[in-house]
Amino acid sequence: MTTSFDWRLPRGTVIRGKWKRSSYRVERLLGEGANGKVYLVERQRAWYAMKIGADAVDLQSEINVLQAIANAKLVSRSEPYLVEVDDYSGTDGKEYPFYVMRYIRGATLSDFLSKRGMEWFPVAGYSLLVKLSELHAGRWTFGDLKAENVLVSDYGRVELVDYGGVTAFGKSVRQFTEIYDRGYWNAGSRSADAGYDLFSFGVLCIQVYDARRLAALAGSLLPQNRSPEELLKLAQSIPALRPLGDWLAKALRGTFSNVEEAAREWQQWQRRTSGRSSSVVPRWMKGLFVASAALLATTIYWLLRTGA
C-alpha cells in the first residue's frame, strides 16, 4: 500500500543522512508522486535529484528497481544513476527514507515547450522514445509517464525522473496517473509492457497541445464510455496533431509492436514537420534529430551485444 504525505521542504533546508552523514541543500521541488516527493538538491557544488518517501518498505522496492536498472546498464554509463540511499530525521521527529539520483539540468516538458515553442516537441518526443527504448530493452515499463516526470535540457534531450512506477514486464504497473493510464481509458490492462508506455505517450501528445480539453474530456465521460476512440476524436480536433493521427491511433489502440517501430514512424512525422516549418526550425535542430536517431540505433545494438 502506498503512503503519501503533505509537507514540503522549503528552499535552503539541509538534509543530513542519518547513517552516511552526507548533507544536501534543498533548492526546489521537481515533482511528486503517490509515494514521495522529488527535490533538486546541491552537495559540494554538484546537483542531484533526491526522492524522499513516507514509507521505507514502499520506497525500498523502488530503490531495488533502480539498482536492477543500474546493474543492467540501461541508463547512462558515464556516471552512476543511483548515488546514495539513507534516512532523514524530519522536524516532526519522524524518519523518512530517501535516495539520491544524478540530475540532468532541464525544465519539465510543459515548461520547456511553453518557453521554447511547440516546434521543439518532435525533437523532445523522439528523445523520450529513445529513453523508453533503454528501459524496454531490459523489459521494464516506466509506468507513470506524464509531463511532470519528463525533464528536457536546452537541446531537447530528455531525462526521466521519479522511477516509482517502473515495473518489470508482465507485472501489474506499480504507480500511475489516471489520465495517462491505459486501464482508465478502457484501452487494455495495467499489466506492464511496451504498449502501456506508448499509450501514455499518446495521451501526453494530446496533453501538451490542449491540456484543458483533455481534462474536460476525462471529467465528462462516464467510466464505461472512456475509450481510445474518444481520445482520437479530441486529437483530430487539434490541427497540429492531425498529421500525427496515424501514429496516435497505433499508440492508443496498442498496435505498435515495440517502441523502436514507434520511433521510426515518429521520425517520419518529424521529418515532415521540420520540412513544413523549415523557416522556423533551425538547421542544427534537424541535425540533432538525426543524432538522436543514431543514438537509438546504438542503444539497441549495445543492448543486444551485452545480452540485456
Side-chain angles (χ1 to χ4, degrees), residues 221-280:
L221 294 172
L222 295 173
Q224 63 269 28
N225 293 335
R226 299 179 194 133
S227 71
E229 305 311 312
E230 294 295 332
L231 289 168
L232 288 170
K233 288 178 186 177
L234 174 57
Q236 279 296 311
S237 71
I238 302 172
L241 284 179
R242 287 173 191 159
L244 194 59
D246 290 342
W247 192 96
L248 286 172
K250 290 184 177 182
L252 296 173
R253 291 171 180 161
T255 57
F256 278 124
S257 58
N258 51 49
V259 72
E260 288 77 28
E261 178 187 351
R264 286 194 297 271
E265 294 198 15
W266 184 275
Q267 183 180 23
Q268 295 170 6
W269 171 68
Q270 194 276 344
R271 285 173 174 166
R272 293 193 299 269
T273 301
S274 61
R276 286 195 307 270
S277 56
S278 58
S279 61
V280 176

Side-chain angles (χ1 to χ4, degrees), residues 193-240:
D193 55 29
Y196 189 91
D197 278 343
L198 287 171
F199 179 90
S200 299
F201 191 109
V203 177
L204 179 63
C205 292
I206 300 172
Q207 193 272 339
V208 298
Y209 279 97
D210 202 329
R212 182 186 60 80
R213 291 177 63 199
L214 175 62
L217 176 67
S220 66
L221 294 172
L222 295 173
Q224 63 269 28
N225 293 335
R226 299 179 194 133
S227 71
E229 305 311 312
E230 294 295 332
L231 289 168
L232 288 170
K233 288 178 186 177
L234 174 57
Q236 279 296 311
S237 71
I238 302 172

Side-chain angles (χ1 to χ4, degrees), residues 44-183:
Q44 298 178 352
R45 299 184 179 179
W47 294 102
Y48 301 95
M50 173 188 286
K51 183 165 185 179
I52 303 179
D55 185 274
V57 174
D58 191 35
L59 204 66
Q60 184 60 51
S61 63
E62 184 174 330
I63 291 167
N64 292 341
V65 169
L66 286 168
Q67 290 174 332
I69 292 171
N71 292 338
K73 298 181 179 179
L74 298 179
V75 294
S76 172
R77 294 167 292 282
S78 61
E79 56 182 309
Y81 185 79
L82 185 62
V83 177
E84 189 171 52
V85 179
D86 209 330
D87 295 323
Y88 162 64
S89 297
T91 56
D92 57 2
K94 297 180 181 179
E95 290 189 0
Y96 298 92
F98 71 83
Y99 65 83
V100 180
M101 304 169 282
R102 65 185 176 91
Y103 172 72
I104 303 298
R105 188 180 297 274
T108 64
L109 179 61
S110 298
D111 288 345
F112 178 85
L113 295 174
S114 176
K115 180 179 179 181
R116 296 298 185 92
M118 293 303 298
E119 64 268 20
W120 279 89
F121 182 57
V123 174
Y126 189 85
S127 181
L128 177 54
L129 289 171
V130 171
K131 187 60 61 175
L132 291 175
S133 76
E134 296 176 351
L135 285 173
H136 292 184
R139 301 188 62 75
W140 297 95
T141 297
F142 185 72
D144 198 13
L145 185 63
K146 56 183 177 181
E148 295 85 347
N149 285 344
V150 180
L151 288 183
V152 190
S153 70
D154 286 343
Y155 298 101
R157 191 166 291 110
V158 161
E159 182 68 32
L160 293 168
V161 297
D162 195 350
Y163 279 66
V166 173
T167 308
F169 277 12
K171 295 186 177 181
S172 181
V173 172
R174 292 160 39 85
Q175 183 177 311
F176 58 87
T177 300
E178 280 191 340
I179 203 166
Y180 299 91
D181 173 52
R182 183 169 64 183

